[in-house]
Amino acid sequence: MTPTPPVSELTTHLGFWLRMVSNHVSHAFAARLADKGVTVAEWSLMRALYDREPTPPSRLADAMGLTRGAVTKLADRLIGKALLARRPSEADGRAQTLALTAAGVALVPELAALADRNDAAFFDLLTAEERQTLRDLLMRMVERGRMTTPPLD
Amino acid sequence: MTPTPPVSELTTHLGFWLRMVSNHVSHAFAARLADKGVTVAEWSLMRALYDREPTPPSRLADAMGLTRGAVTKLADRLIGKALLARRPSEADGRAQTLALTAAGVALVPELAALADRNDAAFFDLLTAEERQTLRDLLMRMVERGRMTTPPLD
DNA sequence: TCGAGATAGTTTCCTTGTCAATTAAAGGAG
DNA sequence: CTCCTTTAATTGACAAGGAAACTATCTCGA
């Protein structure tokens, strides 16, 4: 009967708490978006395209940290909802471009308001000063760890 | 040609930065675990069962914030890898119990070491003081927002 | 004690992502 | 110019979780 070696608790890891809070925030946001018939990934793509020129899927994939296959399917879903349009590129016969439809453009501000409210609902749990500290710490980590996603522009 | 109404940048949301960092940490951890042939969810279940009595899937589902269906399938996968065993409960004819196999028990400390290293690799980007501040802020949010998962014991 | 309802797990279907294979079009070396 | 290689996007197979239907068992009230 060999005793089990000691193993550190999950709660000792900062990553554990980070994931717990992040998951709660994201999940709550997903629930709000669901009322509008949109998922978080769909919102993310729509926001990326808002007030931008038609953009090829490959650029969006890079910017969003998804594979091209994922963007293809995401785009298919949004096209099915008439929020997005796909058109062949004029310059390059292989390429496509994605752009929001008028309905898509119109929806983005609504969704953005939901995003604002969701963020507020959670981070109002902290004081203004605490929020600023949290923001600084997270941005410091992103910077020092080079956790960047290529920007669209 | 109506101009697009102003929409707040994603980067204004603390949730955005939280998710970015959390995703990086989790993804890097997943990559480390993959070398051992285990996923993050699998590790999570194994850790929950380590040095504990055989436990019913329902308790694990509650503790891990998963549905019972998800635990069933997770367990199936781990059983396929001979890291977990499922046995009918003696007390209740409906119930099952899950417990790590000897191989599973032996693997946990290895995986825990990976978890420790991964957490360190990321959060060493901060000073000890910054880490403590981050931990305090996250735990404060969990507390104030009641973002709890039922503990196993 | 027996029938109704609650409970434990599993299974099925759906969603959404990755990875690998595939198709089509560019682009460059000879 | 003609291959050969690279690049863009899509497609198909698979992974992993949620929701709800389903099965088996338990429990309690009359």
Side-chain angles (χ1 to χ4, degrees), chain A residues 44-95:
Chain A
S44 179
L45 197 161
M46 291 178 70
R47 179 63 188 80
L49 282 174
Y50 187 70
D51 69 18
R52 246 185 211 98
E53 298 301 314
T55 306
S58 49
R59 279 178 72 70
L60 293 165
D62 291 346
M64 298 175 63
L66 293 178
T67 62
R68 292 170 181 202
V71 172
T72 295
K73 291 170 208 176
L74 200 45
D76 287 344
R77 276 174 253 143
L78 282 168
I79 290 168
K81 297 178 187 176
L83 297 172
L84 188 74
R86 174 157 37 207
R87 294 185 41 201
S89 157
E90 295 177 10
D92 186 332
R94 298 164 298 180

Side-chain angles (χ1 to χ4, degrees), chain B:
Chain B
M1 194 61 58
T2 58
T4 52
V7 161
S8 62
E9 289 295 326
L10 291 181
T11 53
T12 62
H13 295 142
L14 267 166
F16 173 85
W17 296 103
L18 202 59
R19 191 167 55 254
M20 171 159 290
V21 176
S22 177
N23 284 350
H24 271 267
V25 175
S26 294
H27 192 263
F29 184 39
R32 287 174 194 256
L33 284 178
D35 294 342
K36 302 280 182 183
V38 172
T39 68
V40 173
E42 287 164 5
W43 148 251
S44 180
L45 197 161
M46 292 179 70
R47 178 64 188 80
L49 281 175
Y50 187 70
D51 68 18
R52 251 187 206 96
E53 299 300 315
T55 307
S58 48
R59 279 178 72 69
L60 292 165
D62 291 346
M64 299 174 61
L66 293 178
T67 63
R68 294 170 181 201
V71 171
T72 295
K73 290 175 236 179
L74 200 45
D76 287 344
R77 275 173 253 146
L78 283 167
I79 290 168
K81 295 177 187 176
L83 296 172
L84 188 73
R86 174 157 38 205
R87 293 184 44 201
S89 157
E90 295 176 9
D92 186 333
R94 297 165 299 181
Q96 299 284 328
T97 65
L98 299 176
L100 293 178
T101 61
V105 171
L107 187 54
V108 168
E110 277 186 64
L111 303 179
L114 289 186
D116 292 343
R117 273 207 289 282
N118 189 66
D119 211 67
F122 278 95
F123 294 100
D124 281 358
L125 293 168
L126 300 177
T127 68
E129 196 188 336
E130 288 171 335
R131 275 198 297 277
Q132 188 55 49
T133 305
L134 180 58
R135 178 181 300 271
D136 289 344
L137 289 173
L138 291 172
M139 291 182 69
R140 214 164 293 169
M141 287 199 68
V142 167
E143 213 172 301
R144 294 184 193 161
R146 289 176 221 298
M147 308 176 196
T148 55
T149 329
L152 260 184
D153 275 1

